[in-house]
Amino acid sequence: MHLLLVILFFLEAQFCVQSSDSNSPAGENLATNGLPFPWSKVRLPSYIVPVHYHLLIHPNLTTLRFNGSVKIEIDVKNNTNWVVLHSKNLKIFTATVLDEHEAHLSDKVLSVLEYPSHEQIAIFSPKILTSGEKYFLYLEFGAPLSDGFYGFYKSTYKTKAGETRVLASTHFEPTSARMALPCFDEPIFKANYTVRIRRGPSHIALSNMPLEQTVEIGNGLFEDQFEVSVRMSSYLLAFIVCDFRSVSGMTATGINITIYAVPEKWHQTHYALEAALRLLEFYEQYFNILYPLPKLDLIAIPDFQAGAMENWGLTTYRETSLLYDPDISSASDKLWVTMVIGHELAHQWFGNLVTMEWWNDIWLNEGFARYMEFVSLEAVYPELKVEDHFLDTCFGAIGRDSLNSSRPISSLAENPAQIEEMFDTVSYDKGACILHMLRNFLTNEGFQSGIIRYLHRFKYSNARNEDLWDSLIKTCSEEEFTAGEYCYSSTQATKNAYRFAGEHIDLKKMMYTWTLQKGIPLITVKRQGRKLYIGQERFLKIVLPDDPSWHSLQEGYLWHIPLTYKTSHSDYEMKHILTTKSDVLTLDEEVDWVKLNSDMNGYYIVHYDEEGWNALTELLRINHTALSFKDRASLIHNAFQLVTAGRLSLNRALDLIGYLKSETHNVPLLQGLGYLQSFYKMIEKRNIADITHNLKTYILQYFRDVIDKQSWSDDGMVSDRRLREEVLSLACDFDYPPCLEKAKHLYNSWVESNGAISLPTDVSETVYMVGAQDDSGWAYLLEKYGVSMCETEKSKFLSALASSKDSEKLSRLLQLGMDGTLIKTQNLPSLIYLVAKNPVGHFLAWDFVKKHWDELVEKFPLGSFGIRNIIVGTVTQFSSTEELREVGCSFVVLKGMIICFDGSFTALLFVLFV
Ligand code: BES
Ligand code: ZN
C-alpha cells in the first residue's frame, strides 16, 4: 500500500501542491527548541539578499566528517532583526552578525532556531538590521560527510591492488547546497563565492574557480584558496577533495580544460578532453558569448546518482558519462559521452549564466541543454549522426504526454520532492522537442539570434518562460515588418505579430499553448479532392471518443500548431499555422498522398482517414525512399500510438510496417523492431511455447536479411554500428542459431585468452550474454566484473549477468547490489531494471523492491532519478491482470488492450495489448 501511494504521488505530483505553509500566520510553526519560528513559508523571504559568500571547508577523509565556516555579506532590503536561511542536517556551532566594518553586533553568541521540515534556520540579531546597510553573517558548522549522493558526500574507489580510497565531492542541484553550508538556497539568490579548502598533502582540492594560492597551515595541512567566482546560484557551487590524475588542454580562446579521473583510469580521459575542447569552442561561437571563467574541469566521480552535473567551472560526471576506452567502449558509449558533455557545457550558458527564476521553469535549463546536445553534436561531430536519435527524444516525451497524468512544461513545484520531480521527460524531452519545432518555424538563423538576445538580456541574472518568448524576436518598425523581416512590429496594430508563411503570428501566445498546457495534439486529416479537412484534438491514450469523460478531458485544449506537409506532387514543404479546432486547406492540385508533419519537426501526432493511411502504406511498399527516413519512422510511430489509443487497428499498423523487409535505414528499422519486440516481451512472459515461437518467427522474417548481413566487427559508421549492436542482440535473444554459434565461439576464445583478446566492442555485450547462460560462464563474468577497471565494460558484464535464466543467480545479484560493495549502490536502480526485464526475473525484482522498499527510499529519496527508475523499471514489465492488480490498478480491458488507471481514474499507469 505504501508503495502504491508513492506511485500515485509520483504520477499526480502536480495536484499535490502544499498550500498550508504559505497561508499559516507567522508564529504557528515551532522550532526544534519549542520557540516560535519566525517564518512560515517554504521559500525564503526576499528582503535579505546574499551578496558574497566567504567559505572555508575542511573535510576529514579519515573521520569522514567536515567542518566549515561561512561569512555571508548580505543586503538588507527591509528593517528586520532576524535572518532566515537554509540548512539541512548541519550542526551549527556559532552564529554572529557583523556590521560593515566586521564588528560584532553583540558579544553574545546568537541563538539559532531550527525548523527542519522546511530545512531552514533563523538567527536573531540583537540590533535591528537596517534597510540599505551592509552586514555579514558568520556561522561555524559541521556534519558527517553524507552517505548518499547529495550535499557534501563520501565516494570511494578501489585500486588494482585492492586498496580502498576515499574522496569527498558535492552535488547540490536542486536543493542540497544547504546540506554542505548554511545558505540562501534558491536560484534567484545569485552571489559571488570565495572558497578555501583544507586538505592533506596527498590530496588535491578543486572548486568552481582556479586555485589562487596554497598556504601550509601546520599539522601537515594545506589550505587552497580559490579565485572569487562570478555571480551564480547556490546550486552551482562545487568542491571536491580527491587524489585524482588529470589531462589538460587549452581552447583557441584560452580556456584551460582539465579532465580528472581516478589515477588508474587516466588513460580513459583523452576522448573527453578532445570533445570538451571542441564543444566549448562551438558554444562560444554559437551563443556569441565567451565562456566567462578561466578554466573548466570535467571530473568522473566513482559514486554518482544522476548522469552528470553542470557546476560552473567544475562539472561532475558518473564514470560511464565521461570515460571512454577506445579498446573497450562501444560506438554507443562514445556517442553517450559526447552527448553528456554537450549537455553539461550547454548549461554553462543555459542555466549557469541565465538561470530560471524558480524551479517551475527548470525546462529553461534542461530542455535547452537537451536540445543543444543535438545542435552542438550535429555541428561538431556530424559523423556521429546524432540527428538519428532526436525522434526518440520526442517519442519518449509523447509517451508521457499522452497520459492524462502528464503536466505542463512550466508547472508548480514548491517543496524539495516536488522540485526534484520536475527533472523529468517533460522538462527535458518535451522541452527539447518544442524548441526544435520553434527552430524549424523561425529558421535556424532566427532561432539562434533570438537565443543570443535572450542570453545577453538575462546574463548573470534570472529569467522566466515569458522572458524567453519576449526575447526571441527582435522588434522592428512597421516598414521593416511590411518588407517581410523576421521581427515584431512595434506599432500597436500588429504588436507581437510575426510573419510566418505570409500570416501574422503571435509567437508568445503560440508558445504558451505548448508550455502552459499539458498534452500533445492529434491532427486528424480527411482528404476530399483538393480539400484537406484538418482538425485538432488532445491525443489521449485510454479515453476513446465514445467514453463519457472524453469531452471534459478535451475541454479548453487548443494549440497553435505550425503545420507542415508534403504531397506526391510537391517535393517542398508547405506550411500553415492552425490556431482553431478545425480548418480546411486547399491543395493546388489533386494528389496521390499527403504526409503531414514533415520529418516530424512538429510536436503532434497525425491520424489520416482510411484512404490516407492506405495511400501511405502503399507508397512505403512501392517506393519508401519517396519519404525521408524521419517521415518513415514517424509514420510507424504515429500508427502504433494510434493503436495503443484505440484509434487504429493493429492490423493497419502491421500492414504499414510490412515494407520493413526492404528498409535499410536504422531509424525506421529500429522503430518498427521496438514495437514488435514489446509485443514479444509481453507474450514471452506468458510461457505459451507455440505462440512465443510463432511470434519469434514472424519478427525474424522482417529482420533475417539485416541480421545475416551483419559482420561481427566494429566496422562502419556509428549508425551502422548501432544497428549491428541492436539486431545482433535481438537475434541471439531470439535464439537464432547462426547468432548463438558465432557468439559462443567468440566467447570461448575470449575466455581461453583469459580476457586478453579484445572482442568487437559493439557486439561484446551480446557475446557476454550468450556466455552467461551456463554456470561457469556466469561465475567467470562475475569474477571479471570485480576486477575490471572500465565502467562501460562492467555495465556490459552486469547486463549479461542479469540475463541469466537462473533465478537464484538473479537473487544473488540483487543482494550484491543492495550490499553495495562489489556492485555499487549507484548501479542498483539499473540492476533492478535489468533483472525486471528478464522474463525469469520480473517477479523477483518486484518482490525485491517491495521487501526492501524502506532501505531503497533511504538510498534513493522520493522524487529522485534512482527511485523513479526503480518504480518504472519494475512496474512497466507488468501486463497480466494479476500483475496490474498487484500495483493496485483498477483496470479495464478494451478493444484488445488492458488499460490500467489509478484509483482516482485520473492517471493512466499502463496501456498494454493482450
Ligand atoms: N542538471 C542536471 C543534473 C540533475 C539531475 C540535477 C536531476 C538534479 C536533478 C544535469 O545537467 C543533467 O541533466 N544530467 C543528466 C545527464 C544527461 C543529460 C546526459 C542526468 O543526470 O541524467
Ligand atoms: Zn541538464
Side-chain angles (χ1 to χ4, degrees):
M1 189 56 202
H2 186 181
L3 177 56
L4 174 63
L5 286 177
V6 173
I7 296 173
L8 299 184
F9 172 71
F10 163 63
L11 287 164
E12 294 295 285
Q14 72 270 29
F15 301 130
C16 307
V17 175
Q18 210 170 341
S19 55
S20 60
D21 293 306
S22 32
N23 300 332
S24 61
E28 255 178 31
N29 312 32
L30 296 184
T32 45
N33 63 0
L35 293 173
F37 193 77
W39 186 248
S40 61
K41 298 184 184 176
V42 192
R43 293 210 210 168
L44 297 179
S46 54
Y47 43 85
I48 304 251
V49 177
V51 178
H52 197 140
Y53 290 78
H54 300 264
L55 174 69
L56 170 65
I57 203 113
H58 178 197
N60 183 326
L61 299 184
T62 314
T63 62
L64 302 179
R65 286 188 54 84
F66 67 96
N67 282 321
S69 66
V70 65
K71 186 176 78 181
I72 314 172
E73 180 186 333
I74 51 171
D75 239 4
V76 176
K77 308 264 182 210
N78 283 351
N79 288 0
T80 180
N81 64 346
W82 44 260
V83 182
V84 179
L85 68 166
H86 285 112
S87 167
K88 182 180 173 187
N89 298 345
L90 294 174
K91 179 136 186 59
I92 310 287
F93 302 125
T94 352
T96 45
V97 182
L98 312 170
D99 68 15
E100 63 178 324
H101 309 294
E102 305 208 13
H104 289 258
L105 293 194
S106 154
D107 297 340
K108 278 189 284 179
V109 173
L110 307 181
S111 70
V112 177
L113 297 184
E114 294 177 4
Y115 193 59
S117 68
H118 286 179
E119 304 173 353
Q120 290 168 354
I121 55 173
I123 298 156
F124 277 83
S125 164
K127 292 205 186 107
I128 295 274
L129 305 177
T130 347
S131 152
E133 303 275 309
K134 172 163 144 181
Y135 297 92
F136 294 95
L137 212 57
Y138 177 78
L139 298 122
E140 287 176 8
F141 54 91
L145 283 171
S146 164
D147 234 350
F149 305 95
Y150 295 94
F152 196 17
Y153 71 94
K154 175 193 83 166
S155 171
T156 58
Y157 71 93
K158 245 195 169 128
T159 63
K160 272 190 202 142
E163 182 195 349
T164 301
R165 296 195 183 159
V166 182
L167 59 137
S169 176
T170 53
H171 179 98
F172 292 165
E173 193 182 19
T175 58
S176 296
R178 60 192 74 169
M179 293 172 75
L181 67 150
C183 59
F184 297 79
D185 199 9
E186 292 179 6
I188 189 90
F189 293 121
K190 290 198 175 187
N192 300 101
Y193 290 80
T194 305
V195 177
R196 286 179 297 150
I197 303 177
R198 292 192 176 162
R199 56 160 179 95
S202 49
H203 287 99
I204 55 168
L206 299 170
S207 186
N208 307 77
M209 299 299 291
L211 184 65
E212 199 168 60
Q213 60 165 333
T214 300
V215 195
E216 197 168 347
I217 54 166
N219 285 337
L221 283 181
F222 292 84
E223 191 176 294
D224 288 335
Q225 183 166 341
F226 298 88
E227 288 175 23
V228 51
S229 80
V230 292
R231 255 170 71 79
M232 62 182 192
S233 305
S234 52
Y235 78 89
L236 292 169
L237 178 65
F239 35 86
I240 297 169
V241 173
C242 65
D243 64 350
F244 287 4
R245 254 190 97 182
S246 61
V247 291
S248 298
M250 183 150 324
T251 63
T253 45
I255 312 297
N256 200 347
I257 297 194
T258 308
I259 317 291
Y260 291 89
V262 307
E264 285 165 334
K265 292 178 182 168
W266 179 79
H267 66 285
Q268 301 172 33
T269 54
H270 298 84
Y271 176 72
L273 179 62
E274 179 210 304
L277 285 166
R278 292 176 65 178
L279 288 164
L280 197 76
E281 285 171 0
F282 168 80
Y283 284 133
E284 286 192 325
Q285 284 179 7
Y286 189 88
F287 295 136
N288 194 21
I289 299 180
L290 291 176
Y291 174 76
L293 312 186
K295 65 99 174 170
L296 170 64
D297 297 333
L298 298 86
I299 180 166
I301 306 291
D303 299 272
F304 203 83
Q305 154 124 276
M309 175 64 210
E310 70 266 26
N311 316 300
W312 212 341
L314 177 54
T315 55
T316 46
Y317 300 76
R318 196 178 257 253
E319 291 189 329
T320 45
S321 307
L322 188 69
L323 304 182
Y324 175 77
D325 185 330
D327 295 329
I328 301 179
S329 312
S330 65
S332 316
D333 296 332
K334 184 181 202 172
L335 178 66
W336 174 248
V337 166
T338 322
M339 289 179 86
V340 177
I341 297 176
H343 180 105
E344 302 313 332
L345 298 203
H347 274 313
Q348 306 301 307
W349 285 263
F350 274 100
N352 301 7
L353 189 64
V354 178
T355 314
M356 70 279 144
E357 216 171 270
W358 180 250
W359 301 106
N360 62 324
D361 275 333
I362 185 62
W363 86 277
L364 288 176
N365 281 9
E366 298 304 347
F368 259 106
R370 165 86 359 121
Y371 190 48
M372 292 312 296
E373 291 170 30
F374 293 91
V375 176
S376 64
L377 263 67
E378 219 174 312
V380 179
Y381 287 97
E383 69 280 10
L384 292 181
K385 293 247 179 287
V386 73
E387 64 276 15
D388 284 5
H389 304 266
F390 189 71
L391 286 185
D392 284 337
T393 304
C394 303
F395 296 160
I398 293 168
R400 165 85 187 273
D401 217 17
S402 51
L403 305 181
N404 192 34
S405 57
S406 189
R407 63 172 184 86
I409 284 186
S410 287
S411 38
L412 220 110
E414 289 292 299
N415 66 38
Q418 290 166 344
I419 292 170
E420 189 85 29
E421 285 174 358
M422 296 290 286
F423 293 81
D424 67 352
T425 183
V426 173
S427 291
Y428 280 77
D429 302 325
K430 182 175 178 182
C433 292
I434 65 155
L435 288 172
H436 182 67
M437 176 164 72
L438 181 69
R439 179 161 171 243
N440 277 283
F441 177 69
L442 293 178
T443 72
N444 290 353
E445 299 69 37
F447 179 80
Q448 186 180 353
S449 63
I451 59 175
I452 290 174
R453 205 170 303 120
Y454 166 79
L455 288 170
H456 273 287
R457 209 174 273 179
F458 295 97
K459 61 185 171 201
Y460 300 109
S461 167
N462 300 73
R464 303 175 191 199
N465 211 3
E466 64 192 78
D467 297 325
L468 175 65
W469 312 134
D470 283 341
S471 315
L472 267 180
I473 297 184
K474 72 171 190 212
T475 40
C476 61
S477 67
E478 180 70 4
E479 291 73 49
E480 285 169 311
F481 183 77
T482 320
E485 276 237 18
Y486 289 122
C487 53
Y488 281 134
S489 163
S490 46
T491 60
Q492 206 49 40
T494 45
K495 196 152 189 253
N496 288 343
Y498 172 68
R499 190 182 293 285
F500 171 71
E503 299 169 69
H504 289 173
I505 311 296
D506 183 337
L507 192 87
K508 189 168 174 180
K509 214 165 153 192
M510 165 173 144
M511 291 318 291
Y512 275 172
T513 71
W514 300 99
T515 52
L516 302 183
Q517 163 174 263
K518 68 180 176 181
I520 169 160
L522 172 69
I523 296 287
T524 53
V525 191
K526 283 193 191 0
R527 182 158 59 92
Q528 273 173 9
R530 286 170 51 215
K531 294 248 182 286
L532 284 185
Y533 294 88
I534 311 272
Q536 65 160 298
E537 62 191 63
R538 179 177 169 207
F539 178 66
L540 274 174
K541 295 216 177 137
I542 54 148
V543 198
L544 298 174
D546 50 7
D547 188 299
S549 58
W550 170 258
H551 288 287
S552 67
L553 288 170
Q554 289 287 339
E555 231 165 84
Y557 281 85
L558 184 77
W559 286 267
H560 290 192
I561 308 172
L563 291 181
T564 52
Y565 55 97
K566 281 185 199 151
T567 72
S568 48
H569 288 65
S570 69
D571 46 10
Y572 58 95
E573 216 175 76
M574 313 288 284
K575 295 179 176 170
H576 172 71
I577 180 126
L578 180 69
T579 52
T580 48
K581 277 276 181 196
S582 58
D583 207 346
V584 187
L585 302 181
T586 309
L587 302 173
D588 293 340
E589 56 203 317
E590 293 247 1
V591 296
D592 302 325
W593 53 263
V594 185
K595 160 75 176 62
L596 267 80
N597 201 0
S598 302
D599 282 345
M600 201 160 176
N601 288 331
Y603 188 71
Y604 54 92
I605 289 180
V606 185
H607 188 17
Y608 303 90
D609 56 5
E610 182 75 22
E611 290 93 71
W613 279 114
N614 284 343
L616 290 165
T617 307
E618 191 57 13
L619 176 67
L620 288 179
R621 205 178 57 77
I622 302 170
N623 178 20
H624 66 270
T625 50
L627 295 175
S628 71
F629 79 85
K630 290 186 187 172
D631 275 336
R632 298 184 321 253
S634 77
L635 278 175
I636 297 174
H637 169 267
N638 284 195
F640 278 93
Q641 289 304 306
L642 290 161
V643 172
T644 60
R647 303 289 292 264
L648 191 71
S649 78
L650 182 55
N651 281 341
R652 295 293 295 106
L654 291 175
D655 278 352
L656 185 89
I657 61 167
Y659 91 99
L660 280 181
K661 282 176 209 151
S662 42
E663 178 62 85
T664 53
H665 198 286
N666 74 92
V667 174
L669 262 176
L670 292 175
Q671 186 61 27
L673 180 62
Y675 282 110
L676 293 173
Q677 232 171 345
S678 66
F679 291 132
Y680 177 77
K681 286 281 158 207
M682 246 176 273
I683 301 295
E684 187 188 27
K685 286 194 203 101
R686 291 189 163 59
N687 280 329
I688 316 169
D690 55 336
I691 299 189
T692 313
H693 177 80
N694 289 347
L695 191 56
K696 238 187 230 179
T697 316
Y698 175 80
I699 297 176
L700 272 177
Q701 56 143 3
Y702 283 109
F703 296 98
R704 186 168 287 125
D705 284 353
V706 187
I707 295 169
D708 291 344
K709 252 192 260 160
Q710 300 302 324
S711 66
W712 290 66
S713 70
D714 283 340
D715 295 344
M717 303 279 289
V718 175
S719 46
D720 305 322
R721 296 178 58 181
R722 200 173 89 94
L723 183 66
R724 173 187 304 135
E725 205 173 331
E726 297 276 340
V727 294
L728 289 182
S729 143
L730 169 91
C732 280
D733 190 32
F734 277 15
D735 302 322
Y736 183 54
C739 184
L740 290 180
E741 269 160 40
K742 184 73 190 171
K744 193 76 200 165
H745 172 73
L746 282 172
Y747 181 77
N748 290 338
S749 359
W750 179 70
V751 174
E752 272 159 32
S753 75
N754 196 18
I757 60 159
S758 39
L759 294 170
T761 59
D762 303 329
V763 292
S764 58
E765 185 166 332
T766 299
V767 171
Y768 301 143
M769 278 190 174
V770 172
Q773 299 311 319
D774 63 44
D775 289 352
S776 65
W778 197 85
Y780 185 73
L781 286 164
L782 188 63
E783 186 197 317
K784 284 278 170 206
Y785 182 89
V787 294
S788 169
M789 278 305 210
C790 175
E791 283 301 306
T792 50
E793 181 179 54
K794 286 177 80 165
S795 68
K796 294 182 179 83
F797 289 151
L798 195 61
S799 137
L801 290 164
S803 73
S804 164
K805 300 291 171 286
D806 176 346
S807 58
E808 264 176 41
K809 292 195 173 70
L810 300 180
S811 295
R812 179 152 167 234
L813 277 183
L814 290 172
Q815 212 41 59
L816 285 170
M818 202 67 202
D819 175 56
T821 316
L822 182 68
I823 301 176
K824 275 186 172 277
T825 305
Q826 67 164 359
N827 297 324
L828 183 56
S830 52
L831 172 63
I832 294 176
Y833 167 68
L834 287 171
V835 173
K837 79 175 179 130
N838 178 338
V840 178
H842 81 296
F843 278 128
L844 200 96
W846 174 242
D847 287 341
F848 178 85
V849 171
K850 282 191 293 184
K851 186 161 156 223
H852 296 284
W853 181 250
D854 292 337
E855 293 147 90
L856 288 173
V857 175
E858 213 170 288
K859 293 180 199 290
F860 307 102
L862 292 181
S864 67
F865 273 14
I867 203 72
R868 283 185 278 163
N869 289 340
I870 290 172
I871 298 172
V872 173
T874 44
V875 303
T876 50
Q877 305 301 325
F878 287 176
S879 58
S880 72
T881 39
E882 297 74 35
E883 287 164 345
L884 298 179
R885 198 171 281 130
E886 178 67 29
V887 276
C889 286
S890 45
F891 52 89
V892 289
V893 178
L894 186 81
K895 298 198 178 172
M897 295 172 291
I898 287 186
I899 289 164
C900 174
F901 302 94
D902 71 17
S904 63
F905 272 75
T906 51
L908 169 81
L909 292 174
F910 321 99
V911 178
L912 299 163
F913 308 95
V914 285

